[in-house]
Amino acid sequence: MTILKLKAAQKDYLWGGKNLVEKFNKETNLDKLAETWEISAHKDGVSQIENGEYQGKLFTEYLKDMGNQVIGKNYNKDRFPILNKFIDAQDNLSIQVHPDDEYGLSHENDYGKTEMWYVIDAKPGSYLYYGLNKEVSKEEFTQAIDQGSFLDLLNKVEVKKGDVFFIEAGTIHAIGSGILIYEVQQNSNITYRVYDYKRRDKDGNERELHVDKAIEVSNLSVNKTYNFENDNEINDNLKRLVKSDYFDVLKGQISDEIYNINEDSFQALTIIDGRGTIQMGEESLEFTKGDSFFLPAQNGKYKIEGNGEFILSMLP
């Protein structure tokens, strides 16, 4: 089956910057490029196919025609499982939280959202918010929001290139300014904003908050500590970043390695640095920093030649 090269959907949220254009070869007419949805079948931003039989068509058209076997031989859900994106935070993102599947499906007719972040780059002193710094009751949490002391409850973490965060549904979080991230998440777009620095949109209106829903779904305990590095790896050249019920994410060095793929899962590949070629059988595609590919589930091998680094994601 053909390797698909994907063109990302683009988002111009007010906190975005220029890094994805200047450093990751993204072309855009937007004033700010906050996110590129690299591998996406979500209705709010679908990737487009750039090569092969489906060139110029949406990724969702390909998935509809091919069926779930290109996702995985045992995959039986009604939508593509993940959404992968670059995030360029020139300014702070809102303090937010995402629901789990049960709440999302019953209240929003959409799945919940567990996600992971790999920090590609960060300016010195950059930080993000990741959960709470102490356990609180729902009443204490609500009172802190009402009294304006909410930020005092958050776990503030200074970050650097290479840091990894696993954000389970229900975890209060926010990316701070000066951080460039690659994210793998559930295929969902539900976000409940708790706090947004009283910012206004292009029409001069304060952005909508969703405090009541956020209080319902937030985990008010201190975050667990995760270490996925000791899990079994699928290739000596790959380092596991996160493995959850929703996705398995690894980072690899580009060094003329051969990789296996099988019928159990697709593999989604994004180049975060360098350039080279990806080859499967007689097919060879060039890539450069910022390119993304979808390899359908199949029994076979492929080779990545060149230099740099990539992120690989698949079913767990």
Side-chain angles (χ1 to χ4, degrees):
M1 292 185 185
T2 301
I3 302 170
L4 302 183
K5 184 178 181 182
L6 299 181
K7 181 179 180 180
Q10 300 182 350
K11 301 295 179 179
D12 63 347
Y13 305 132
L14 56 79
W15 42 261
K18 297 289 187 181
N19 280 318
L20 298 180
V21 174
E22 295 172 355
K23 299 180 180 180
F24 283 83
N25 305 301
K26 303 299 181 181
E27 297 181 358
T28 187
N29 294 320
L30 301 175
D31 291 334
K32 295 182 177 182
L33 187 54
E35 296 183 352
T36 55
W37 292 16
E38 295 293 313
I39 299 158
S40 172
H42 196 279
K43 60 182 177 61
D44 293 341
V46 182
S47 304
Q48 188 177 55
I49 298 170
E50 293 196 290
N51 69 302
E53 178 185 354
Y54 284 83
Q55 183 175 1
K57 294 188 176 182
L58 295 176
F59 186 39
T60 46
E61 296 180 73
Y62 164 83
L63 293 172
K64 182 178 179 181
D65 287 353
M66 299 300 292
N68 277 1
Q69 75 268 14
V70 298
I71 301 175
K73 67 178 182 180
N74 296 319
Y75 191 75
N76 59 7
K77 295 185 179 179
D78 62 355
R79 70 165 65 184
F80 188 65
I82 62 172
L83 196 169
N84 296 8
K85 60 178 70 168
F86 285 112
I87 301 175
D88 177 22
Q90 179 174 284
D91 198 356
N92 297 321
L93 276 68
S94 62
I95 313 297
Q96 57 190 242
V97 66
H98 310 298
D100 61 16
D101 288 343
E102 181 179 0
Y103 188 95
L105 289 169
S106 63
H107 290 77
E108 309 286 356
N109 194 32
D110 200 356
Y111 284 94
K113 185 174 170 183
T114 285
E115 61 193 80
M116 67 78 63
W117 297 334
Y118 175 78
V119 179
I120 297 173
D121 200 7
K123 292 182 179 178
S126 297
Y127 64 88
L128 53 77
Y129 291 117
Y130 177 52
L132 303 180
N133 55 38
K134 64 178 180 179
E135 184 170 348
V136 297
S137 66
K138 186 173 290 190
E139 292 73 22
E140 291 171 320
F141 188 66
T142 304
Q143 186 179 52
I145 295 173
D146 293 341
Q147 294 180 351
S149 59
F150 172 66
L151 295 181
D152 296 337
L153 298 179
L154 302 183
N155 181 32
K156 185 177 179 180
V157 183
E158 192 166 318
V159 299
K160 64 184 183 305
K161 179 179 178 179
D163 285 345
V164 179
F165 296 87
F166 177 52
I167 302 97
E168 291 185 285
T171 304
I172 294 281
H173 62 276
I175 302 170
S177 64
I179 303 175
L180 185 64
I181 275 176
Y182 189 77
E183 175 178 295
V184 180
Q185 58 161 87
Q186 285 182 262
N187 185 5
S188 171
N189 197 29
I190 305 174
T191 295
Y192 299 147
R193 294 192 198 103
V194 186
Y195 180 75
D196 195 40
Y197 307 96
K198 298 189 181 298
R199 287 184 293 200
R200 297 182 181 274
D201 61 22
K202 60 185 178 181
D203 298 318
N205 302 312
E206 287 192 17
R207 296 208 298 171
E208 182 182 5
L209 300 180
H210 317 91
V211 174
D212 290 342
K213 288 182 176 179
I215 291 170
E216 285 190 66
V217 306
S218 292
N219 175 11
L220 302 183
S221 300
V222 177
N223 288 351
K224 302 175 185 176
T225 300
Y226 297 95
N227 181 5
F228 301 96
E229 293 183 16
N230 295 325
D231 290 352
N232 293 328
E233 298 182 355
I234 63 171
N235 185 291
D236 291 340
N237 191 49
L238 294 173
K239 174 186 176 182
R240 174 158 281 116
L241 301 180
V242 166
K243 187 173 185 179
S244 74
D245 292 339
Y246 303 102
F247 43 70
D248 190 7
V249 185
L250 304 102
K251 184 171 79 74
Q253 299 290 324
I254 300 170
S255 58
D256 301 353
E257 287 280 343
I258 293 175
Y259 299 90
N260 295 315
I261 187 169
N262 58 48
E263 294 179 332
D264 292 335
S265 175
F266 68 91
Q267 293 184 22
L269 175 73
T270 296
I271 309 302
I272 60 172
D273 193 24
R275 61 176 58 247
T277 58
I278 180 170
Q279 303 170 34
M280 178 178 280
E282 299 298 317
E283 184 177 23
S284 179
L285 296 174
E286 294 184 354
F287 61 74
T288 189
K289 184 177 180 178
D291 286 345
S292 291
F293 300 89
F294 175 81
L295 287 75
Q298 60 194 295
N299 288 318
K301 297 179 183 293
Y302 63 95
K303 187 175 185 179
I304 303 177
E305 293 184 306
N307 61 80
E309 297 180 317
F310 62 90
I311 300 288
L312 188 65
S313 52
M314 64 199 78
L315 294 175

